Amino acid sequence: MPALPVSGGDFRPYEVEVGTGLIASAGRRVLPFLKNRRTLIVTDTHVGPLHAVRLKEVLEAEGIAAQILTLPAGEETKSWEGLKALTDGLVEAGLDRKDVIIALGGGVIGDLTGFAAAIYMRGIDFVQIPTTVLAQVDSSVGGKTAIDHPKGKNLIGAFHQPRLVLCDLDVLATLPAREIRCGYAEVIKYGLLGDKAFFEWLEANDQAVLALEPTAIERAVARSVEMKAEIVAADEREGGQRALLNLGHTFGHALEAELGFGDTLLHGEAVAIGMGMAFRYSARMGLCSQAEADRAVAAIAAAGLPTQMTQIRNAAFDADTLIRHMGHDKKAEGGKLVFVLVKGIGEAFVAKDVSADSIRDFLISDGASA
Ligand SMILES: NC(=O)c1ccc[n+]([C@@H]2O[C@H](COP(=O)([O-])OP(=O)(O)OC[C@H]3O[C@@H](n4cnc5c(N)ncnc54)[C@H](O)[C@@H]3O)[C@@H](O)[C@H]2O)c1
Ligand SMILES: O=C(O)C(=O)C[C@@H](O)[C@H](O)[C@H](O)COP(=O)(O)O
Ligand SMILES: [Zn+2]
């Protein structure tokens, strides 16, 4: 399929390639961006043994000197410690401003490498080779890079767009089923926030997407990237409509923060629950019909994703503690919470007039403790 452009915004345009055999031809594809014919591949301990050596060989066959830096797999690496290890590695590798780093991994490696690229020598280029469904459909595109802070998700970061994104569908074959479901949460998010026809296609094809059937996964990734590219081009810095990509995230990030950013609750699962909550809250407030909310929740659950915080653990989450976490949400303005709510499936909007009391009442009705 033709490359998808991310262009039209106030940033240097770039392309997202979606297809098979992209790592096999990565040397030729990244070469135009490498002035020094050398690079550092940043990966993690799961992806490295599976895909990094092959990428290095492909690059070397094109005359590109490639080193590999492997960081521990998992959300914990999106931290000051992970950033220190990576920036130390960049210094040790002697990379200069004309060099390009390659992020080979999921959203953790992509967000961390993008942030390191944004600050190393005040900014060098990077290429994204996302290896999870989630990273292909969401995190590799759009230039949000960050690490987590114990108080909140992605609190330390920068906008820094990649030069190129290669979404090689072949690498998804080694992905655990739980991670495929996490990626699906961000895929269905696009339908829920702004494309009811895509949502309906997903309702009918969810199992084919989850089974990575070639035409289904290609369509799911391509449509997601297309929607993200359009929104990012219109509003790179989230002054307005980019916030729609945050559907489910105010609730989801609060749950992630409360659980300490480990693997008890993965980001995609948190977003799945958060979207369930956003639809239930919207229905409770009379903004959307109960039938639409039930349909959205049923479609998320049909993919084997959780939709309620009561599914995470037996002990109830404390409503006020969750609201405190929400206070660290980057959408909050002057201490007021901002939520992405819905009028129906495919009709998300940004709500700035949400009272903390109504959220508290909702959280308690949804399983939190008072
Ligand atoms: N920047 C953005 O716009 C954006 C968007 C969405 C999510 N995110 C961030 O992305 C992160 C989540 O990303 P993720 O879900 O990709 O998690 P991840 O990077 O932790 O990857 C998930 C797991 O799969 C493993 N893995 C990755 N590719 C594999 C492969 N091909 N085969 C086998 N194992 C593989 C990883 O080692 C890890 O254990 C979160 O930190 C989230 O905040 C950022
Ligand atoms: O690209 C965006 O914009 C998003 O909101 C995509 C989200 O899926 C992603 O999780 C993002 O990292 C959240 O951003 P944050 O600004 O809420 O930390
Ligand atoms: Zn997300």
Side-chain angles (χ1 to χ4, degrees):
M1 75 155 44
L4 302 165
V6 189
S7 61
D10 290 335
F11 54 84
R12 185 168 49 192
Y14 56 96
E15 291 188 332
V16 182
E17 305 229 26
V18 178
T20 54
L22 298 178
I23 289 190
S25 56
R28 164 172 73 73
R29 293 173 193 281
V30 302
L31 194 57
F33 304 103
L34 304 186
K35 296 184 186 75
N36 290 331
R37 277 193 178 257
R38 65 176 183 184
T39 188
L40 180 78
I41 301 166
V42 184
T43 191
D44 73 24
T45 44
H46 294 157
V47 182
L50 294 168
H51 304 290
V53 173
R54 190 163 70 90
L55 175 61
K56 178 177 158 69
E57 287 168 358
V58 161
L59 296 172
E60 286 172 348
E62 201 68 41
I64 300 164
Q67 297 180 61
I68 300 175
L69 176 67
T70 307
L71 298 168
E75 187 72 31
E76 294 87 347
T77 291
K78 251 182 72 171
S79 59
W80 285 115
E81 292 72 25
L83 185 66
K84 179 176 185 326
L86 175 46
T87 48
D88 284 350
L90 297 178
V91 175
E92 270 160 37
L95 295 190
D96 67 37
R97 279 182 173 162
K98 299 280 183 222
D99 284 313
V100 177
I101 329 175
I102 298 178
L104 175 74
V108 166
I109 288 299
D111 280 14
L112 178 72
T113 304
F115 185 37
I119 58 175
Y120 179 68
M121 293 197 172
R122 301 198 187 92
I124 65 170
D125 287 345
F126 79 117
V127 166
Q128 290 267 21
I129 306 188
T131 63
T132 61
V133 173
L134 185 143
Q136 295 194 353
V137 303
D138 195 348
S139 61
S140 63
V141 179
K144 272 192 181 177
T145 75
I147 57 172
D148 302 325
H149 183 280
K151 293 269 184 199
K153 183 84 176 169
N154 301 328
L155 285 192
I156 322 288
F159 287 97
H160 189 52
Q161 301 288 344
R163 295 303 307 272
L164 174 71
V165 183
L166 299 178
C167 299
D168 189 336
L169 303 172
D170 293 335
V171 291
L172 303 179
T174 55
L175 204 54
R178 184 181 179 196
E179 300 295 347
I180 297 176
R181 288 195 294 274
C182 282
Y184 186 84
E186 302 273 24
V187 171
I188 201 169
K189 178 186 79 176
Y190 293 103
L192 292 170
L193 74 88
D195 185 348
K196 191 162 188 179
F198 182 49
F199 170 83
E200 287 175 342
W201 179 82
L202 287 169
E203 275 187 318
N205 293 278
D206 54 354
Q207 299 312 314
V209 174
L210 291 164
L212 304 178
E213 283 180 20
T215 52
I217 188 69
E218 183 175 86
R219 179 164 174 185
V221 174
R223 179 61 188 141
S224 302
V225 168
E226 199 175 61
M227 283 187 72
K228 181 144 190 188
E230 198 180 313
I231 293 172
V232 168
D235 177 24
E236 184 200 17
R237 302 277 162 145
E238 201 170 290
Q241 66 157 298
R242 182 165 184 164
L244 298 179
L245 295 170
N246 237 247
L247 176 62
H249 284 64
T250 310
F251 294 115
H253 280 170
L255 293 168
E256 285 185 80
E258 179 58 12
L259 291 170
F261 306 118
D263 60 6
T264 313
L265 180 70
L266 300 175
H267 177 70
E269 295 163 345
V271 170
I273 294 170
M275 292 189 296
M277 294 170 86
F279 268 88
R280 286 191 295 275
Y281 177 77
S282 298
R284 180 183 168 96
M285 300 307 284
L287 299 166
C288 114
S289 73
Q290 191 59 49
E292 284 278 280
D294 291 345
R295 186 176 172 187
V297 169
I300 298 166
L305 285 160
T307 58
Q308 304 254 5
M309 53 186 162
T310 50
Q311 290 170 264
I312 307 172
R313 65 175 197 198
N314 291 329
F317 290 89
D318 177 65
D320 291 321
T321 305
L322 291 181
I323 290 175
R324 256 197 310 281
H325 287 306
M326 289 177 204
H328 293 291
D329 186 284
K330 290 174 287 313
K331 297 187 300 304
E333 286 178 13
K336 289 206 145 193
L337 298 178
V338 173
F339 283 84
V340 182
L341 301 178
V342 289
K343 293 181 186 148
I345 290 167
E347 294 178 82
F349 67 98
V350 179
K352 299 191 173 184
D353 51 356
V354 176
S355 84
D357 283 349
S358 76
I359 291 291
R360 188 173 187 279
D361 291 347
F362 163 72
L363 288 173
I364 292 163
S365 76
D366 216 46
S369 57

